[in-house]
């Protein structure tokens, strides 16, 4: 799994761990964690951001559009209301740069003060200063680069060469240069570099910066060893040259020799073929009796599925799989239908936590009034607006005292309630392209799963699947409140009964068999309800 898709629930600062704060969207303020989107760290104090573009002025916040932060760190900073757009700081005062300048007064106070433009100190400030001397340090040339005689040029560090009669070779590690006379290598146009050495390709061959004498027919390299295609019993595997190799052998992905007619490669191991067996990590397994989960072999039981490297029964309602991490709901004291995932983390019951999702990234936050998800971020809605997962600063703070209803997020298929899947019309298809018009999002659906159709509706309660014309178009009425969709990914869309509106969206890109998962869940539900009715 990609690292970016893993929810990280703690951040460490100076050895102190802060729980329930992802290090992907937070930073350290001394020994405490803070959210730079909604907070600022000012002189090791965490302050609530009052404007999207608020900045620190000592231990205060200020708005640079209407205020100035004047003073010095030593003498203290203070916030001044900007008198006009032309005013700037001069010490702990402000001045109009159209009528005044800021003068440095050495005696006796060694301070800066605003002065009229006709003051003598203003005229002194207008005298242009000469540029610094072009020393080796300022020209971007290392101090130990040589001062070369006319007609010669620097060759790495500590050497010069004549480009007409000599060749320059630079050691890539030490950057030390070495010049070579063309007399040492016959023919200027036939010389080449091998590491820091110059050689004649007609006489030598360079393999991984190692020179060897050229032998007719040996014009290929395997690591540092030259060899030829016509050599008998020679096989190059992962830059290692094997000699006296019998016919029929090949290289495994790990660089080992094996004979496909006799051997099978499982991971880094070469094993003798056992009829009916398949690879599972470094060992073999029989699919009739075992199940392979991420390289780990388990005994196959009824309704068994994989969750990462573990096997479990999804229909039991006792276990919950969250992005490859398996949770025991009995230990967590949760019901199967109530338990929801946020990436690989099982969320707490109730409304104490909020999961914000973007393609490939799910992050968990403590629920706060007035905050809402925007992709994987959780901003203060009074400072930021959100459109399709993209944050936009509000020109003025938007006063709100109510909980903001978040837009729909991409739910894992396992988090969609079974009743929702089994008693509603469901659209399954792959997004080909997305466009926006009049704040409505138009989506083109194609290439739907393994069924040879391009998009399909299925009434899961009856297990009926019908193909739709290709391409199939879907319109979401509000582009901004809808989650970001990635072209090429496959999604499931649950429609509201007696309406064309979409109520839930789930990304199926990581699910190898979504139709099987849906039908299996619905079958289990119907069997349980039929048994309950039969017992009445």
């Amino acid at each position: 799994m990609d690292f970016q898709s893993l929810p990280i629930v703690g951040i460490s600062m100076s050895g102190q761990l802060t729980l329930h704060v992802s290090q992907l969207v937070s930073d350290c303020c001394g020994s405490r964690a803070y959210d730079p989107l909604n907070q600022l760290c000012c002189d090791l104090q965490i302050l609530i951001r009052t404007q999207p573009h608020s900045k620190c002025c000592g231990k205060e916040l200020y708005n640079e559009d209407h205020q100035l932060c004047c003073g010095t760190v030593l003498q203290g900073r203070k916030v001044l209301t900007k008198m006009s757009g032309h005013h700037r700081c001069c010490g702990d005062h402000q001045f109009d740069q159209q009528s005044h300048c800021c003068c440095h007064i050495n005696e006796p106070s060694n301070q800066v003060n605003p002065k009229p433009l006709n003051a003598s100190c203003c005229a002194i400030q207008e005298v242009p200063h000469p540029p610094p001397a072009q020393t080796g340090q300022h020209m971007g040339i290392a101090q130990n680069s040589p001062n070369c005689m006319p007609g010669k040029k620097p060759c790495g560090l500590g050497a010069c060469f004549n480009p007409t009669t000599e060749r320059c070779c630079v050691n890539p590690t030490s950057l030390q240069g070495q010049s070579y006379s063309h007399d040492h290598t016959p023919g200027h146009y036939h010389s080449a570099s091998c590491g820091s050495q110059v050689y004649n390709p007609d006489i030598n061959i360079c393999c991984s910066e190692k020179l060897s004498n050229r032998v007719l027919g040996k014009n290929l390299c395997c690591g540092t060893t030259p060899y030829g295609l016509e050599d008998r019993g020679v096989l190059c595997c992962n830059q290692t040259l094997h000699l006296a190799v019998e016919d029929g052998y090949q290289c495994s992905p790990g660089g080992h020799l094996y004979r496909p007619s006799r051997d099978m490669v499982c991971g880094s191991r070469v094993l003798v073929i056992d009829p009916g067996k398949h690879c599972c990590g470094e060992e073999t397994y029989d699919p009739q009796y075992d199940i392979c989960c991420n390289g780990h072999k388990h005994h196959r039981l009824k309704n068994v599925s994989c969750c990462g490297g573990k096997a479990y029964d999804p229909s039991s309602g006792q276990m919950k799989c969250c992005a490859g991490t398996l949770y025991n709901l009995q230990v967590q004291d949760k019901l199967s239908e109530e338990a929801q995932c946020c990436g690989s983390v099982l969320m707490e019951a109730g409304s104490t936590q909020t999961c914000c999702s973007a393609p490939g990234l799910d992050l968990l936050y403590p629920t706060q009034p007035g905050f809402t998800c925007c992709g994987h971020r959780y901003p203060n809605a009074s400072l930021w607006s959100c459109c399709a997962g993209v944050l936009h600063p509000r020109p003025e703070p938007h006063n709100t005292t109510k909980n903001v209803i978040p837009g729909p997020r991409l739910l894992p298929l396992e988090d969609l309630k079974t009743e929702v899947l089994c008693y509603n019309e469901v659209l399954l298809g792959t997004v080909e392209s997305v466009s926006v018009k009049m704040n409505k999002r138009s989506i083109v659906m194609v290439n739907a799963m393994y069924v040879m159709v391009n998009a399909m509706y299925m009434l899961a309660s009856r297990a009926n699947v019908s193909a739709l014309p290709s391409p199939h178009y879907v319109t979401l009425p509000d582009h901004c409140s809808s989650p970001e969709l990635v072209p090429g990914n496959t999604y499931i869309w649950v429609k509201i009964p007696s309406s064309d509106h979409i109520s839930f969206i789930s990304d199926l890109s990581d699910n190898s068999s979504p139709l099987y998962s849906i039908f299996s869940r619905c079958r289990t539900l119907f069997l349980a309800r039929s048994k309950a009715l039969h017992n009445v």
Side-chain angles (χ1 to χ4, degrees), residues 419-476:
E419 288 82 358
V420 172
L421 285 174
C422 301
Y423 290 101
N424 287 286
E425 208 170 29
V426 174
L427 172 67
L428 180 67
T430 302
V431 172
E432 182 183 65
S433 62
V434 179
S435 65
V436 180
K437 182 179 180 181
M438 302 295 291
N439 201 37
K440 292 184 178 181
R441 191 186 306 184
S442 177
I443 303 161
V444 180
M445 308 286 290
V446 295
N447 299 334
M449 303 303 293
Y450 59 87
V451 183
M452 299 304 293
V453 294
N454 288 334
M456 67 189 73
Y457 274 110
M458 61 185 178
L459 195 59
S461 58
R462 300 176 184 173
N464 294 325
V465 178
S466 58
L468 294 173
S470 177
H472 182 70
Y473 300 93
V474 175
T475 300
L476 298 180

Side-chain angles (χ1 to χ4, degrees), residues 3 23 61 100 247 284 310 333 454 484 501-502 531:
F3 174 78
Q23 66 182 23
L61 298 182
H100 289 70
D247 291 341
T284 61
K310 298 180 179 180
D333 195 24
N454 288 334
E484 179 184 356
H501 292 289
I502 304 297
K531 183 177 180 181

Side-chain angles (χ1 to χ4, degrees), residues 274-290:
D274 188 352
K277 295 292 184 70
H278 294 257
C279 285
C280 182
E282 302 279 324
E283 59 181 338
T284 61
Y285 81 110
D286 190 336
Q288 289 187 338
Y289 306 104
D290 303 311

Side-chain angles (χ1 to χ4, degrees), residues 18-238:
T18 304
L19 298 177
H20 308 301
V21 179
S22 170
Q23 66 182 23
L24 297 179
V25 291
S26 61
D27 208 339
C28 294
C29 185
S31 60
R32 295 185 296 166
Y34 78 104
D35 177 10
L37 183 66
N38 302 300
Q39 300 169 317
L40 283 171
C41 178
C42 299
D43 284 355
L44 300 182
Q45 289 192 2
I46 299 177
L47 304 179
I48 302 299
R49 189 184 289 275
T50 57
Q51 297 280 345
H53 302 297
S54 296
K55 292 187 176 182
C56 291
C57 183
K59 290 182 171 60
E60 298 182 74
L61 298 182
Y62 80 104
N63 183 345
E64 62 181 356
D65 293 334
H66 308 292
Q67 296 172 313
L68 294 170
C69 178
C70 298
T72 63
V73 175
L74 294 178
Q75 297 177 352
R77 295 188 178 277
K78 62 180 181 180
V79 178
L80 302 177
T81 300
K82 190 184 294 187
M83 295 181 179
S84 75
H86 304 295
H87 276 72
R88 299 292 183 268
C89 285
C90 183
D92 55 359
H93 303 285
Q94 58 177 306
F95 72 101
D96 188 342
Q97 60 181 355
Q98 290 187 329
S99 60
H100 289 70
C101 75
C102 184
C103 291
H104 183 268
I105 303 174
N106 293 323
E107 299 295 339
S109 58
N110 194 32
Q111 295 180 346
V112 290
N113 286 302
K115 296 292 182 182
L117 287 178
N118 57 4
S120 58
C121 63
C122 294
I124 294 175
Q125 289 188 3
E126 293 177 358
V127 177
H129 296 284
Q134 293 292 322
T135 63
Q137 292 179 337
H138 292 89
M139 291 191 297
I141 301 175
Q143 288 182 314
N144 53 353
S145 292
N147 293 319
C148 299
M149 298 294 291
K152 291 197 172 187
K153 293 184 178 181
C155 177
L157 302 178
C160 298
F161 82 112
N162 186 329
T164 304
T165 61
E166 296 176 316
R167 183 181 184 88
C168 171
C169 292
V170 179
N171 187 304
T173 303
S174 65
L175 301 182
Q176 292 293 326
Q178 177 67 51
S179 62
Y180 292 87
S181 172
H182 292 313
D183 295 334
H184 296 168
T185 304
H188 170 63
Y189 296 104
H190 296 287
S191 61
S193 298
C194 184
S196 61
Q197 303 178 73
V198 173
Y199 75 102
N200 186 346
D202 296 331
I203 300 175
N204 303 110
I205 183 172
C206 178
C207 293
S208 297
E209 299 189 355
K210 180 182 178 182
L211 279 178
S212 302
N213 293 329
R214 182 173 289 280
V215 177
L216 184 63
K218 296 184 182 294
N219 56 353
L220 300 177
C221 291
C222 184
T224 60
T225 307
Y227 76 106
L229 283 176
E230 64 273 16
D231 293 347
R232 282 182 168 273
V234 172
L235 194 59
C236 181
C237 297
N238 285 13

Side-chain angles (χ1 to χ4, degrees), residues 49 63 233 256 261 278 311 319 366 478:
R49 189 184 289 275
N63 183 345
H256 302 285
S261 61
H278 294 257
M319 309 294 288
D478 187 3

